[in-house]
Amino acid sequence: MLARFFRSPKRSFESLSEQEILALAIASEEDDARIYLAYADRLRNEFPASAKVFEDMAEVEDTHRKSLIEIHRQRFGERIPLIRREHVQGFYERKPDWLRASLSLDAIRQETEAMEEQAYRFYVEAAKRTSDASTRELLGDLALAEQGHEDIARMLGDKHTPEDVKRDEDEAAHRQFVLTYVQPGLAGLMDGSVSTLAPIFAAAFATQDTWQTFLVGLSASVGAGISMGFTEAAHDDGKISGRGSPVKRGLACGIMTTLGGLGHALPYLIPHFWTATITAGVIVFFELWAIAFIQNRYMETPFLRAAFQVVLGGSLVLGAGILIGNG
């Protein structure tokens, strides 16, 4: 009874017949071909050269599928058992299309390499666990085929995406990342860090109450995050500017705005006023310099200029909050 309760709904690989192994290989090759075509569709507008690579890789997978079907037809007939990778314990899995839709070009390349490597390792390990000579031979051939896929992918990449094309595509992907995530996120971080300084420190010095100060900081941070997020998402749909999805930009901006304010609000969870205030001041120091660094790193703003704008501006806002709180 307990054995039935704890029994896995998946088949063990050792329980598969040679026909089922062939059927599993056929289904896997078909799924991978579809994945590569989905990658090609995803990249076609922005990275046509890389899209062509994945179209050719899908053709290779389809060729292997046809070869496997022919082997199955010769050995076992026309009816192919319905068995897929998700039915077998320990078999490599593939993400569905909707989980891959937002992958960057570099992430897609890494995912492809991982797919082929996982398939190769699976067949190698499966061959080690199989005692039947013909099955071991079959699994070994499949392992070599999957290892060959990596070489094919590399050759196709060299054919369709030479170094200059790949460099251009990488630059375009980096530029899109900056426009969609870094730029709105940085704007949010700056707004959240700087705009909340005055109300938080004014409340701190006016009340000398760390819990009330924390509540002011929390409300200011969350409110600013919601406002900035909706503003970023609403003012540009990204189609003409090329800045990407307004939802992604809005989330990046809103989340970073909130985090920027919470950075120096959270220390006021410390009950001792001066300990909390000194801790918050140290965090503000690092926040402002971190923003200056990000501006220099991703927005190519000269470091001294970024430091002058952010650090000096933030210091003035901080000073204003302290003065108002003491008034």
Side-chain angles (χ1 to χ4, degrees):
M1 187 68 180
L2 288 176
R4 178 183 296 179
F5 181 77
F6 289 107
R7 184 180 301 164
S8 171
K10 294 187 177 183
R11 294 272 302 274
S12 65
F13 186 82
E14 289 80 0
S15 70
L16 300 182
S17 66
E18 291 187 33
Q19 182 183 15
E20 288 173 325
I21 291 172
L22 269 176
L24 190 58
I26 291 168
S28 300
E29 296 288 353
E30 182 178 2
D31 287 349
D32 288 351
R34 289 178 176 176
I35 290 172
Y36 291 142
L37 287 176
Y39 283 154
D41 292 339
R42 159 80 172 79
L43 298 171
R44 187 168 288 109
N45 290 334
E46 295 179 277
F47 310 108
S50 286
K52 181 60 179 173
V53 170
F54 287 109
E55 287 176 354
D56 288 357
M57 288 181 67
E59 289 183 11
V60 172
E61 299 290 314
D62 191 55
T63 300
H64 291 162
R65 180 186 64 85
K66 291 177 180 177
S67 299
L68 287 165
I69 290 175
E70 184 60 31
I71 293 174
H72 184 280
R73 181 179 290 115
Q74 294 172 6
R75 297 188 60 186
F76 304 108
E78 295 290 335
R79 191 188 70 81
I80 300 174
L82 177 59
I83 184 167
R84 310 182 77 86
R85 54 171 63 99
E86 59 266 25
H87 301 153
V88 181
Q89 293 177 2
F91 205 85
Y92 54 93
E93 296 182 356
R94 300 289 188 254
K95 296 178 182 178
D97 285 348
W98 59 87
L99 293 181
R100 295 192 305 268
S102 60
L103 291 179
S104 65
L105 176 60
D106 189 55
I108 288 175
R109 290 171 179 162
Q110 293 177 8
E111 179 83 4
T112 302
E113 293 177 6
M115 285 171 59
E116 303 298 346
E117 177 63 22
Q118 287 171 0
Y120 167 72
R121 283 190 282 107
F122 172 81
Y123 286 127
V124 168
E125 292 303 317
K128 292 178 182 178
R129 296 195 301 267
T130 306
S131 58
D132 180 75
S134 60
T135 304
R136 287 176 65 91
E137 182 180 8
L138 172 62
L139 292 172
D141 290 343
L142 291 172
L144 291 175
E146 292 298 338
Q147 191 175 38
H149 287 185
E150 295 184 58
D151 297 331
I152 291 171
R154 194 173 300 110
M155 287 187 295
L156 291 174
D158 293 339
K159 173 184 176 182
H160 295 298
T161 55
E163 284 303 315
D164 56 338
V165 175
K166 186 176 181 180
R167 185 172 57 252
D168 290 343
E169 289 189 344
D170 288 342
E171 290 177 356
H174 175 74
R175 183 168 57 253
Q176 189 63 57
F177 173 77
V178 170
L179 290 174
T180 304
Y181 295 102
V182 176
Q183 189 180 68
L186 180 60
L189 184 61
M190 291 177 62
D191 184 85
S193 297
V194 175
S195 68
T196 57
L197 285 174
I200 290 175
F201 282 92
F205 282 91
T207 65
Q208 303 280 305
D209 185 325
T210 57
W211 177 247
Q212 294 300 322
T213 302
F214 170 72
L215 293 179
V216 170
L218 179 63
S219 61
S221 301
V222 173
I226 294 173
S227 175
M228 287 288 290
F230 273 101
T231 300
E232 176 62 38
H235 92 278
D236 178 11
D237 62 9
K239 294 180 179 179
I240 297 178
S241 65
R243 297 180 63 217
S245 166
V247 175
K248 293 177 182 177
R249 296 195 333 268
L251 286 173
C253 185
I255 292 171
M256 294 307 295
T257 301
T258 303
L259 292 178
L262 286 177
H264 41 267
L266 289 174
Y268 283 98
L269 288 172
I270 301 171
H272 188 267
F273 172 75
W274 283 110
T275 301
T277 300
I278 292 172
T279 303
V282 171
I283 291 175
V284 168
F285 174 82
F286 284 105
E287 281 179 347
L288 296 179
W289 283 104
I291 293 171
F293 171 79
I294 295 172
Q295 273 196 321
N296 173 255
R297 173 69 176 80
Y298 288 100
M299 307 307 294
E300 300 182 359
T301 304
F303 186 75
L304 291 178
R305 178 182 171 186
F308 179 80
Q309 291 176 339
V310 178
V311 178
L312 179 61
S315 299
L316 291 174
V317 175
L318 173 63
I322 295 174
L323 288 175
I324 293 171
N326 284 319

